[in-house]
């Protein structure tokens, strides 16, 4: 019997080429794929939403989001993903199903999404204008402030979207989680939308 070696590869491995893209000059958009992260979905069991919330507060030291927003903890980001459920995003997979299972035993079901999603960070002066071509959500900072989140769609593709902390130059940062099977298609759509503003493209092994 033949031996198989399964290498973990980014869903954007073939599509992402680092460097400038689109209009020349100062880039208005920065596109970065984050590759080394852990992602666990926490979903309350029937009638256990209150218990799940208490368990999350005890585990992370902050309340899990009950409305569309993202909350930073000491070593993770908790992202609302629907009623009575949230995502735990951590650097390098610090939080795993195995490490979280004792805390949520009996109150929530856990699902490892680490290799099922691609994570794309979009920033820059024209980031909001570029995303406005793809999303029906009003991303103006007065409406979609830092920490705001949404389970929405872009170009008919389901995404989890949230606004991260602004860059040092005060430019907005938007983060997109997309299912791996749709990541390459959405990536090309994002590139098309960013081309007129000019974009810089890269990947990072760590969350910001």
């Amino acid at each position: 019997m033949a031996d198989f070696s399964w290498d973990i590869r980014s869903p954007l491995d073939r599509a992402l080429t680092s460097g400038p893209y689109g209009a020349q000059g100062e880039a208005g958009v920065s596109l970065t794929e984050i590759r080394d992260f852990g992602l666990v979905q926490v979903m309350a069991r029937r009638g256990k939403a209150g218990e799940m919330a208490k368990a999350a507060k005890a585990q992370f030291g902050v309340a899990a989001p009950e409305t569309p927003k993202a909350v930073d903890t000491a070593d993770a980001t908790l992202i609302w993903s629907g009623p009575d459920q949230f995502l735990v995003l951590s650097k390098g997979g610090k939080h795993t199903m195995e490490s979280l299972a004792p805390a949520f035993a009996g109150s929530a079901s856990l699902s490892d999404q680490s290799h099922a999603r691609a994570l794309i960070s979009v920033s820059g002066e024209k980031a909001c204008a570029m995303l406005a071509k793809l999303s029906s959500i009003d991303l103006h900072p007065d409406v979609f402030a830092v920490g705001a989140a949404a389970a929405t769609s872009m170009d008919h593709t389901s995404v989890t979207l949230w606004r991260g902390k602004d860059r040092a130059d005060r430019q907005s940062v938007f983060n997109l989680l997309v299912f791996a099977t749709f990541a390459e298609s959405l990536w090309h759509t994002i590139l098309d939308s960013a081309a007129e503003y000019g974009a810089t493209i890269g990947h990072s092994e760590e969350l910001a």
Side-chain angles (χ1 to χ4, degrees), residues 43-143:
M43 300 162 285
R45 295 179 180 175
R46 182 173 298 179
K48 300 290 186 178
E51 291 182 26
M52 181 190 73
K54 291 179 181 178
K57 182 69 178 291
Q59 176 71 19
F60 299 107
V62 300
E66 297 180 350
T67 57
K69 63 181 181 178
V71 179
D72 289 330
T73 76
D75 55 12
T77 300
L78 311 182
I79 310 154
W80 180 90
S81 58
D84 299 330
Q85 59 182 283
F86 62 94
L87 296 161
V88 180
L89 177 69
S90 61
K91 289 184 179 181
K94 179 177 177 59
H95 292 286
T96 64
M97 282 184 56
E98 291 73 18
S99 66
L100 294 176
F104 292 100
S107 68
S109 298
L110 307 181
S111 174
D112 188 349
Q113 298 291 308
S114 303
H115 302 300
R117 310 282 184 106
L119 176 55
I120 301 168
S121 176
V122 182
S123 62
E125 183 180 358
K126 297 297 184 179
C128 188
M130 186 276 286
L131 290 172
K133 300 179 182 181
L134 307 175
S135 173
S136 60
I137 293 178
D138 186 351
L139 298 176
H140 190 278
D142 290 343
V143 178

Side-chain angles (χ1 to χ4, degrees), residues 159-181:
V159 300
T160 299
L161 165 70
W162 74 100
R163 186 174 163 198
K165 294 179 180 177
D166 291 349
R167 298 190 323 195
D169 59 4
R170 296 189 175 182
Q171 296 299 335
S172 300
V173 177
F174 299 92
N175 300 296
L176 304 172
L177 277 170
V178 55
F179 284 105
T181 49

